[in-house]
Amino acid sequence: MRISDLLAIGELRLRLLTGDPATEFTGVHITDLPEPGRYLSGGELVLTGMMWRTSPDDAARFVAALAEAGVAALGAGQAWLGHVPDDLVAACAAAGLTLVEVPTEVSFRTLAELVVPRLSGDARDALGRHRRLLTAVAEGAALPELFALTAAELGVTGAVVSATGRVIVGSAEDPVRLARAYLTASRLPCRVGEHTIFGVGRGHRAAGWLLACDGDLLDRPDIGYELAACVAVEHSRMEEGRRVERRLAEQLVTAALAEAGPAELDARLRTCGLDAAEPYAIVNATVLTAGRPGDPDAATLGGQTMEELLAREVVAAVWTDGAVALVPLRGSTASGVAEQLSAGVEVLSALPGTRVCVGLSGALTGAVAVKGGVEEAGHARRLAEVRGGGVVTSDEIYTHALLLATTPGDVRRSFADRLLGPLLDYDGRHQSELVRTLGTFLDCAGSWNACAERMHVHVNTVRYRIKRVEELTGRDLSTMTDRVDFFLALRAG
């Protein structure tokens, strides 16, 4: 029940002195003890006749005890003092405690007798909703039915949206905007335009769902919390149903990497819902976080996020080197899957301190191709990690980028420092542009004129700078070997 509901009972003639009328309370407690904290459990409306007050200093001590106990609001009666003193109003305002004046002619007993049945009615309503929800679950109702049922019971409309911007149930005009707001919100619930956003469950936001309720529910968050809890229950039930599928996918990957026979692999492929002649692609994903307490490991979170990126149409097996999923290419292509993944990863990039790294193989057929696809997708994902996140396809890994991605970071840095160090030092001392000129010269395939035109300098300036590069490094840029070394060093650094 809210204080505003109490103020609306005309026969009580209560008056709000300070605080928020939308404050909710769960019970009523009457006391005149100067420090009643140990008898309070939090959330109550405390009624007091102020017999504890002997001086203005007593108010701050009394209110502090209520605030520490988590009391929702205070009702102060006029019978003892004839008024509510200013020091009590000031203490409540400073503590953020809602204060209501109770007139002399209204007894606390009368007030409690009016309030308690209404609180019981709220509890009965909630219990009735829970019973109807449990009945629907027992009868096999799916998430759309449960969401519609609970939303109608609570009198709200809205949608459930994944962190990747996909509408799961309900209706939302701009789900990507809602997802970005959910990912960047410092706390939930929060307002976004005409919506109030709540989190669903307690998982990591990268793989999470949000509830977007139409309208402003910040003054009545219990409605949003109840609907979000309903969605979370169904989400957990769906997760339980996917465990067997994930285990089958894990067994297929294990058998493929162990080079099991074709017959066994074909059988395991069929248990995963794929025909041996059906084209598919393999995805490998990790999600690297800031390492906050409670965060899942990179592979586990990668699997959860991958399933959301792929609209939960596939399951991901958590592997020692990232999470792996087989994606049927039914009416699609590997490039189409890459576009779908990239769109979701772009939304998730809004989440601070989190990098989603995804690798995608080319189109494959037959179970014997699983091993090569897993390795291919793994190489692509490692390249994505080197790049700081994103989606990398197999088309991109058959270049020097794969060699750099699979080379230990300290080796790459040492190679780049050894070759480019003299040039970086020279540029730092003379404010010159030897490194930039070198990179442009190589990008122009060693053309003096093209390099000069791109840098907007005279061709003789380019010749002088390249000669200086050769002098400082002892290399010869007329040879292909030294050009390749510089090219790799620039990209390794």
Side-chain angles (χ1 to χ4, degrees):
M1 189 173 183
R2 291 180 291 182
I3 292 296
S4 58
D5 299 327
L6 201 58
L7 297 172
I9 304 176
E11 60 193 278
L12 294 178
R13 297 184 299 282
L14 305 180
R15 186 163 68 97
L16 181 70
L17 298 181
T18 186
D20 185 358
T23 300
E24 294 188 20
F25 61 95
T26 58
V28 177
H29 183 86
I30 302 172
T31 185
D32 271 308
L33 293 173
E35 294 187 13
R38 64 180 178 274
Y39 301 108
L40 300 170
S41 57
E44 302 98 334
L45 165 64
V46 170
L47 301 177
T48 181
M50 295 185 292
M51 297 182 68
W52 45 264
R53 184 182 182 276
T54 59
S55 73
D57 294 337
D58 294 336
R61 184 168 59 253
F62 181 76
V63 170
L66 299 184
E68 185 177 354
V71 164
L74 174 64
Q78 296 178 325
W80 178 252
L81 298 177
H83 68 288
V84 177
D86 291 340
D87 51 83
L88 181 59
V89 177
C92 288
L97 185 66
T98 299
L99 174 63
V100 175
E101 179 184 72
V102 182
T104 302
E105 58 271 21
V106 176
S107 72
F108 290 162
R109 179 180 177 181
T110 299
L111 195 156
E113 287 176 347
L114 284 171
V115 168
V116 170
R118 294 169 188 252
L119 290 172
S120 299
D122 290 344
R124 284 195 298 271
D125 289 343
L127 183 58
R129 285 194 299 271
H130 293 161
R131 284 174 175 168
R132 288 187 287 275
L133 174 61
L134 289 173
T135 299
V137 170
E139 293 175 351
L143 179 59
E145 296 174 76
L146 296 176
F147 181 78
L149 170 65
T150 309
E153 293 266 6
L154 294 170
V156 296
T157 57
V160 177
V161 180
S162 74
T164 60
R166 176 176 59 91
V167 175
I168 295 164
V169 65
S171 176
E173 290 185 1
D174 192 350
V176 170
R177 173 169 168 260
L178 295 174
R180 290 185 183 278
Y182 164 71
L183 292 168
T184 56
S186 58
R187 61 182 300 176
L188 295 170
C190 68
R191 278 295 304 278
V192 180
E194 299 301 316
H195 305 280
T196 306
I197 291 181
F198 296 82
V200 174
R202 299 182 177 275
H204 195 281
R205 288 194 193 183
W209 289 0
L210 65 101
L211 168 65
C213 294
D214 298 332
D216 185 356
L217 293 185
L218 291 183
D219 63 339
R220 189 68 191 275
D222 57 306
I223 294 177
Y225 287 135
E226 186 169 342
L227 183 52
C230 165
V231 176
V233 168
E234 180 59 16
H235 182 273
S236 298
R237 190 173 70 162
M238 294 164 64
E239 286 297 300
E240 285 294 323
R242 295 168 72 84
R243 286 189 178 183
V244 173
E245 297 176 68
R246 291 179 181 135
R247 187 162 59 251
L248 293 174
E250 180 182 339
Q251 290 171 352
L252 171 60
V253 174
T254 301
L257 294 181
E259 299 183 350
E264 179 185 348
L265 292 176
D266 284 345
R268 292 194 180 279
L269 193 65
R270 285 192 295 273
T271 63
C272 293
L274 286 166
D275 186 82
E278 185 178 4
Y280 61 92
I282 291 179
V283 183
N284 185 297
T286 56
V287 176
L288 308 178
T289 68
R292 293 179 291 268
D295 282 354
D297 62 74
T300 299
L301 186 54
Q304 296 168 355
T305 303
M306 185 198 306
E307 292 181 357
E308 295 298 339
L309 289 168
L310 296 170
R312 299 178 71 82
E313 295 174 357
V314 300
V315 294
V318 177
W319 200 245
T320 54
D321 187 29
V324 177
L326 277 71
V327 185
L329 300 179
R330 294 163 183 157
S332 183
T333 61
S335 60
V337 174
E339 291 177 5
Q340 179 182 352
L341 291 168
S342 296
V345 170
E346 183 180 357
V347 178
L348 292 173
S349 65
L351 184 58
T354 303
R355 292 183 293 144
V356 183
C357 308
V358 181
L360 177 67
S361 76
L364 308 166
T365 55
V368 293
V370 171
K371 179 181 179 181
V374 169
E375 293 174 347
E376 195 173 83
H379 289 316
R381 190 263 306 157
R382 283 187 285 275
L383 179 54
E385 290 182 352
V386 171
R387 291 180 176 177
V391 180
V392 174
T393 67
S394 60
D395 293 337
E396 300 178 71
I397 66 173
Y398 294 111
T399 67
H400 68 279
L402 176 61
L403 298 177
L404 292 175
T406 54
T407 302
D410 56 343
V411 175
R412 291 198 307 272
R413 288 188 293 273
S414 176
F415 174 70
D417 291 345
R418 182 73 175 268
L419 200 54
L420 301 178
L423 307 183
L424 293 168
D425 290 342
Y426 187 90
D427 282 348
R429 292 196 307 271
H430 299 89
Q431 288 75 54
S432 56
E433 295 188 314
L434 295 186
V435 174
R436 177 168 172 258
T437 303
L438 173 61
T440 306
F441 179 72
L442 294 174
D443 287 343
C444 293
S447 169
W448 306 101
N449 291 326
C451 181
E453 184 177 348
R454 186 178 296 183
M455 297 191 70
H456 306 291
V457 298
H458 194 276
V459 67
N460 287 341
T461 301
V462 175
R463 291 182 183 276
Y464 168 78
R465 290 178 180 175
I466 294 302
K467 182 180 180 182
R468 197 78 186 97
V469 168
E470 292 176 332
E471 291 172 350
L472 289 170
T473 61
R475 298 297 187 109
D476 182 359
L477 278 162
S478 66
T479 67
M480 180 58 70
T481 300
D482 285 348
R483 287 189 183 184
V484 169
D485 284 348
F486 276 123
F487 177 84
L488 293 175
L490 287 167
R491 280 147 184 81

